[in-house]
């Protein structure tokens, strides 16, 4: 009976230690930034989109997980003003692009994380845009209370085909690149 109590106590200590070492850190959505850049034949546009919420999971100092919800209704260009800004924002939020009325959020969930060097991780995640989930891969640097990454998203995989030269013929200088870039800085 004494041995059983000792084993039970040892299990409680081990499980408590494992639980303590796994720590969820909430992302400060106001201090974090998600910037986008999209190119077309005749130029490019850039802007921002806000995080709705997000968490990073650590075991000790090692990144082991993460999940994020993006507020797609906050999507805005930062390279235009006035009437042109309103037109571009309206078009990006329309069914031609992100359909934010029907799909107000996008979600990113880390699925696989490997450490490549001190403070650098190779991440494979599931990205859901317009209700379509596809894998994306990127490197993420984590230092102190900041995590950052830059990666490309292939928009046609998410049924965002408007102006795609790989789908439509004869677009000429109206063609829009199939990939857009996201630059993300997370504060936690």
């Amino acid at each position: 009976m004494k041995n059983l109590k000792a084993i039970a106590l040892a299990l409680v200590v081990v499980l408590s230690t494992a639980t303590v070492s796994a720590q969820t850190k909430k992302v400060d959505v106001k201090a974090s930034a998600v910037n986008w850049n999209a190119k077309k034949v005749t130029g490019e546009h850039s802007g921002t989109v806000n995080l709705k919420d997000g968490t990073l999971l650590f075991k000790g100092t090692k990144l082991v997980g993460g999940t994020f919800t993006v507020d797609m209704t906050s999507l805005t260009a930062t390279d235009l003003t006035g009437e042109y800004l309103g037109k571009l924002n309206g078009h990006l939020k329309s069914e031609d692009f992100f359909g934010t009325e029907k799909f107000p959020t996008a979600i990113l969930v880390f699925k696989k994380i490997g450490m490549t060097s001190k403070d650098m991780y190779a991440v494979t995640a599931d990205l859901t845009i317009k209700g379509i989930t596809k894998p994306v891969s990127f490197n993420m640097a984590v230092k102190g209370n900041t995590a950052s990454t830059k990666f490309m998203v292939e928009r046609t995989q998410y049924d965002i085909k408007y102006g795609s030269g790989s789908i439509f013929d004869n677009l000429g200088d109206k063609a829009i690149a199939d990939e857009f870039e996201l630059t993300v800085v997370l504060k936690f």
Side-chain angles (χ1 to χ4, degrees):
M1 191 64 147
K2 242 182 184 180
N3 285 342
L4 188 57
K5 286 182 181 179
I7 291 171
L9 180 60
L11 279 173
V12 168
V13 169
V14 168
L15 291 175
S16 296
T17 303
T19 303
V20 170
S21 66
Q23 183 181 17
T24 300
K25 296 189 179 184
K26 188 174 171 92
V27 172
D28 181 345
V29 296
K30 298 292 184 200
S32 298
V34 179
N35 296 297
W36 58 265
N37 182 272
K39 296 184 179 188
K40 56 186 181 172
V41 172
T42 58
E44 62 187 270
H45 289 294
S46 56
T48 62
V49 63
N50 297 333
L51 284 171
K52 190 172 183 176
D53 59 53
T55 58
L56 290 168
L57 182 63
F58 290 87
K59 280 194 178 170
T61 60
K62 186 178 177 187
L63 178 66
V64 295
T67 184
F68 309 91
T69 303
V70 177
D71 177 6
M72 294 303 293
T73 65
S74 69
L75 181 70
T76 189
T78 55
D79 63 319
L80 298 173
T81 58
E83 178 185 348
Y84 294 110
L85 173 63
K87 284 182 178 182
L88 179 59
N89 284 350
H91 198 198
L92 291 174
K93 292 176 183 180
S94 78
E95 288 298 317
D96 282 345
F97 286 95
F98 294 98
T100 61
E101 188 173 307
K102 186 175 178 183
F103 303 101
T105 60
I107 298 171
L108 181 75
V109 179
F110 291 2
K111 291 298 190 179
K112 182 179 173 188
I113 302 171
M115 186 174 249
T116 59
S117 63
K118 184 179 183 334
D119 302 328
M120 186 63 72
Y121 299 87
V123 178
T124 301
D126 281 346
L127 176 61
T128 303
I129 299 174
K130 292 181 76 172
I132 300 167
T133 303
K134 297 290 181 181
V136 293
S137 295
F138 51 89
N139 290 323
M140 177 170 269
V142 179
K143 281 195 170 211
N145 67 340
T146 303
S148 59
T149 187
K150 184 183 287 190
F151 64 98
M152 302 300 286
V153 176
E154 168 56 65
R155 68 185 176 97
T156 60
Q157 291 183 343
Y158 301 94
D159 197 31
I160 305 169
K161 299 175 183 174
Y162 183 88
S164 169
S166 66
I167 295 174
F168 300 105
D169 292 331
N170 303 319
L171 291 174
D173 67 357
K174 302 276 190 232
I176 301 168
D178 287 345
E179 291 186 315
F180 61 91
E181 182 179 70
L182 291 177
T183 303
V184 182
V185 177
L186 304 171
K187 298 290 187 177
F188 49 92

